[in-house]
Amino acid sequence: MSDNDRQTESRQPKKQRFSKPAAASSTEDMTDSKRAIIEAFTFYRDQLDAHYDQRERVIKTSRDVTALSKKIVFSLLRITQEPAAKVFADVEHKHSAVLDLFAKMSVELQGSDGYKYNRQATPGLQEYIEALGLWIFLRDNTLISKEQVEEMIGSKGAKILVTDDDYVLGISDLPGEVNRYCINSIGKGDHEAVRNSLMFLRSLKEGINMIMASGRIRDLNKKLEVLDSSLQKTEQAYYSMSIRGSEMQNVSAAASEPMAIV
């Protein structure tokens, strides 16, 4: 064998360790793995999108309930200026619109979703309970119960979870509105309305203090401060009105006595 033949033989390429069919199989396996990952993340994306969309719908409806409930409160506070029948008729109309919103919200809060999205629904629920509480107080001079709240919400077929926290925090907002009603009643000289307001707030404070002993409801401490302030203002208004009433009676009695002729 010549030297040239030896050089040619030594330059021949080495055999490949992996055959082409094996490489093609590896590429196919990588493609299947990538496809599975993409499908999994697409599924999770769709799940998250559906969650956030549902959450936003609950928030929007809750805000609409809050706005209408505030309008009910404003209407009720006009009871010292307008006939009660007219005020309650207006409230009934607004209340019907709120119930329609609850029927809409109910679709989003079925089953475990009632607990899942309770935090988004509770602002509207609390404002609604406050409005109902003022309505029942002005109409019946009593505190609305949790069962009454659930019954009124469901009067148009809505099925919405009302927790104990929703109810307690809702009625804890009542003192401010009752105090406003009390101040408006003083302008009319309605001594009985002022007295009823004071008795109602004292009973409400007693009940909330019992709940506070458990220390279980978040944000109740802040609302208790407002209750104490409203109760103090109502007591001062009642005492001032009572004192002025006694003074006026004394003045009237003195004026009615015949003057002695010297």
Side-chain angles (χ1 to χ4, degrees):
M1 181 179 294
S2 63
D3 294 340
N4 291 335
D5 293 337
R6 291 191 185 95
Q7 290 177 359
T8 302
E9 184 179 357
S10 62
R11 291 174 183 173
Q12 290 180 354
K14 296 181 179 180
K15 294 183 179 180
Q16 296 180 354
R17 294 183 177 180
F18 303 101
S19 62
K20 287 184 178 181
S25 176
S26 176
T27 303
E28 185 177 351
D29 292 341
M30 288 289 291
T31 302
D32 292 341
S33 176
K34 184 177 180 180
R35 186 182 300 110
I37 292 173
I38 292 175
E39 289 176 354
F41 275 92
T42 300
F43 172 77
Y44 297 142
R45 180 201 63 192
D46 294 341
Q47 290 287 98
L48 285 173
D49 286 344
H51 160 68
Y52 287 124
D53 289 344
Q54 185 173 357
R55 179 177 179 272
E56 288 301 317
R57 289 194 296 270
V58 174
I59 290 174
K60 183 181 183 303
T61 308
S62 179
R63 287 173 179 167
D64 293 340
V65 170
T66 297
L68 265 177
S69 297
K70 287 183 181 294
K71 290 181 179 180
I72 290 177
V73 171
F74 296 151
S75 297
L76 288 168
L77 291 176
R78 294 203 307 268
I79 199 169
T80 57
Q81 304 168 4
E82 300 177 4
K86 179 181 178 181
V87 171
F88 290 151
D90 181 45
V91 168
E92 286 279 4
H93 176 71
K94 290 183 172 66
H95 183 240
S96 178
V98 175
L99 294 179
D100 291 337
L101 290 174
F102 276 129
K104 178 181 176 181
M105 185 189 291
S106 175
V107 177
E108 311 290 348
L109 300 177
Q110 295 303 305
S112 61
D113 287 344
Y115 296 93
K116 185 177 181 180
Y117 300 107
N118 175 259
R119 187 171 181 180
Q120 286 71 44
T122 191
L125 279 172
Q126 291 181 31
E127 197 69 36
Y128 173 71
I129 292 170
E130 177 187 359
L132 280 187
L134 183 61
W135 187 6
I136 298 303
F137 165 69
L138 295 177
R139 190 186 69 184
D140 304 331
N141 193 32
T142 189
L143 177 66
I144 191 170
S145 67
K146 181 171 177 279
E147 290 72 23
Q148 286 178 294
V149 172
E150 293 172 334
E151 182 180 351
M152 296 185 83
I153 289 178
S155 58
K156 282 194 174 183
K159 295 181 180 180
I160 294 179
L161 173 70
V162 180
T163 66
D164 292 342
D165 290 14
D166 293 333
Y167 171 72
V168 173
L169 292 174
I171 63 172
S172 297
D173 288 327
L174 264 176
E177 307 306 334
V178 173
N179 182 63
R180 289 185 182 90
Y181 165 70
C182 171
I183 300 303
N184 293 341
S185 298
I186 292 175
K188 290 184 60 179
D190 192 343
H191 190 277
E192 187 66 19
V194 177
R195 183 180 180 278
N196 289 340
S197 299
L198 177 59
M199 296 299 104
F200 178 80
L201 290 180
R202 283 178 172 173
S203 298
L204 185 60
K205 177 176 171 56
E206 182 180 354
I208 291 179
N209 281 339
M210 294 176 64
I211 296 173
M212 284 291 297
S214 65
R216 188 178 63 86
I217 298 180
R218 186 181 61 181
D219 296 332
L220 190 56
N221 282 327
K222 299 176 182 178
K223 302 202 175 194
L224 188 60
E225 295 175 3
V226 178
L227 171 57
D228 290 337
S229 176
S230 298
L231 179 57
Q232 183 179 5
K233 292 176 182 178
T234 305
E235 286 177 339
Q236 291 175 350
Y238 179 73
Y239 297 152
S240 298
M241 191 174 186
S242 299
I243 291 172
R244 286 200 304 269
S246 299
E247 291 175 348
M248 291 300 296
Q249 289 178 1
N250 293 335
V251 170
S252 300
S256 63
E257 292 179 357
M259 297 181 62
I261 300 175
V262 180

